[in-house]
Amino acid sequence: MSLDADAIVDRRRLRRKLTFWRIAAFVILAVALGAAILAVTGLNAPSRRSAHIARISVEGVILDDRQQLKMIRDISESTAVKGVILSINSPGGSTTGGEALYEALSELAKKKPLVAEIRTVGTSAGYMIALASDHVVARYNSITGSIGVLFQYGNIEKLLTTLGVEMDAVKSSPLKAEPDFYSTTSPEARQVLETLVGDSYDWFVRLVAERRKLDEPRARELANGAILSGYRAKEAGLIDAIGGEDTAIAWLRTEKGVAADLPVVTWKVPAEQENLPFSMQIGRSLGEGAASTLLNHLSNAKGLISPSLTLDGLVSVWHAPNAAETEARRGGGE
């Protein structure tokens, strides 16, 4: 049975409406997906090519990070960057990692006005890198200081004896691979470690004295490993002002002549990623985000992973390595 003319017209109208809504749904989905991609990759942020204040965020344990050092060099060479905020939320880290970061930031400060902002925590190597700036700001209740160096190691000799396990080694000399975890540290090995720690500590003290314009005895007095509130640090001359990022920006504007209307742009992505195809940038960003989330969950589950486990050798770190991560989860900073 053939359809009459009215039925044919109605069916065509229905098909046109269905086609319209299908297209509309596709466009909406494409726009939503595009917005999500921009949010993940940060491509919707103010452009690095236009004049701005660069923000360098140092979060968590400080390690020797080549990509971060390269990014700092790129900032120093960018004509669009008119000033830099070093935003610190770190308990410290490896001494060499802090040294490398300090040196890179010192070179940056020769080319760009640099101000440091200590947020929740900026201790040990976290404070060390702040010394590269010309001005240091911290909150009244920020935790800073803890100036010193540590070489820490464990010993399970008694546990092995209880279990009936013996360890032995053939060495080229008595001090090779000392200290170990299965025998008492010899006086000679301990002296080697004390010399190592002492050399690093003296370097740190001289750095504090030079950058904070203190005589060395006073710097050594302050470098007793104790943590200080931002208020106490200012009283001691270890920082310059109490406040947050607004205070840091105000200093750039009033003291360094940085324009008042410049946006603050966070530099995060290594420069080499900018040259990757768009699809690869998306994949890399999503992959890094997933890996970070997985590590955070593992760290929170019975303490399976701790940032301190990645540190070898001399460290300059306060003993609360998760403080910065806790603050970030609470929304304490960008």
Side-chain angles (χ1 to χ4, degrees):
M1 178 179 179
S2 60
L3 298 173
D4 57 30
D6 290 340
I8 293 173
V9 171
D10 289 340
R11 176 168 290 187
R12 288 176 177 173
R13 285 176 181 169
L14 182 61
R15 285 179 178 173
R16 284 197 294 270
K17 288 181 179 179
L18 185 58
T19 301
F20 169 79
W21 285 112
R22 282 175 176 171
I23 294 173
F26 176 79
V27 171
I28 292 171
L29 180 61
V31 171
L33 181 60
I37 290 171
L38 291 175
V40 170
T41 60
L43 298 179
N44 58 340
S47 173
R48 291 182 181 178
R49 297 182 180 180
S50 57
H52 65 276
I53 297 170
R55 181 194 291 120
I56 302 172
S57 293
V58 177
E59 304 275 350
V61 176
I62 295 171
L63 301 173
D64 193 353
D65 186 337
R66 289 193 179 111
Q67 289 185 333
Q68 185 181 50
L69 300 180
K70 184 180 185 305
M71 183 189 74
I72 292 171
R73 290 194 296 271
D74 291 338
I75 291 174
S76 69
E77 295 169 1
S78 172
T79 56
V81 175
K82 306 305 179 183
V84 182
I85 299 170
L86 176 62
S87 181
I88 302 169
N89 197 17
S90 169
S94 72
T95 305
T96 53
E99 179 185 358
L101 188 51
Y102 169 81
E103 290 176 351
L105 291 167
S106 294
E107 290 301 312
L108 172 62
K110 294 176 183 178
K111 300 179 180 181
K112 310 286 183 182
L114 175 64
V115 58
E117 176 214 0
I118 296 174
R119 287 153 52 205
T120 302
V121 181
T123 52
S124 296
Y127 176 71
M128 178 195 299
I129 63 173
L131 295 174
S133 67
D134 298 317
H135 194 74
V136 183
V137 174
R139 295 286 185 185
Y140 188 99
N141 290 303
S142 294
I143 299 173
T144 187
S146 189
I147 301 169
V149 181
L150 171 70
F151 189 103
Q152 194 171 36
Y153 55 95
N155 187 291
I156 60 171
E157 180 181 10
K158 292 181 179 179
L159 175 62
L160 293 177
T161 300
T162 301
L163 296 175
V165 177
E166 292 185 3
M167 297 290 294
D168 206 348
V170 177
K171 302 182 180 183
S172 59
S173 60
L175 292 177
K176 178 63 179 175
E178 287 287 339
D180 57 48
F181 66 91
Y182 55 84
S183 62
T184 303
T185 305
S186 68
E188 294 79 12
R190 183 173 292 276
Q191 181 59 53
V192 169
L193 296 179
E194 289 176 355
T195 300
L196 186 68
V197 169
D199 288 346
S200 184
Y201 173 70
D202 289 342
W203 173 83
F204 199 168
V205 169
R206 289 194 298 270
L207 193 64
V208 173
E210 175 188 347
R211 296 299 298 163
R212 298 307 305 172
K213 296 179 173 55
L214 302 169
D215 57 52
E216 190 162 322
R218 176 55 178 161
R220 195 169 294 274
E221 180 183 348
L222 292 170
N224 61 0
I227 57 173
L228 300 170
S229 66
Y231 165 72
R232 294 291 178 185
K234 185 177 184 303
E235 292 291 302
L238 294 177
I239 69 169
D240 298 293
I242 298 295
E245 185 170 273
D246 289 345
T247 305
I249 293 173
W251 181 84
L252 286 174
R253 290 169 178 167
T254 58
E255 299 298 325
K256 297 297 181 178
V258 176
D261 58 346
L262 292 184
V264 177
V265 177
T266 300
W267 283 60
K268 287 184 179 179
V269 182
E272 60 265 28
Q273 183 167 332
E274 292 180 351
N275 298 323
L276 294 175
F278 184 69
S279 59
M280 291 183 67
Q281 291 186 35
I282 297 170
R284 181 169 176 175
S285 297
L286 290 174
E288 289 176 350
S292 176
T293 300
L294 176 60
L295 287 175
N296 283 335
H297 281 299
L298 288 174
S299 179
N300 293 334
K302 301 180 181 179
L304 294 178
I305 295 177
S306 169
S308 60
L309 295 179
T310 65
L311 297 176
D312 292 318
L314 287 173
V315 298
S316 184
V317 59
W318 186 44
H319 66 265
N322 290 322
E325 288 83 353
T326 299
E327 174 62 18
R329 287 195 297 270
R330 291 177 177 173
E334 295 179 294

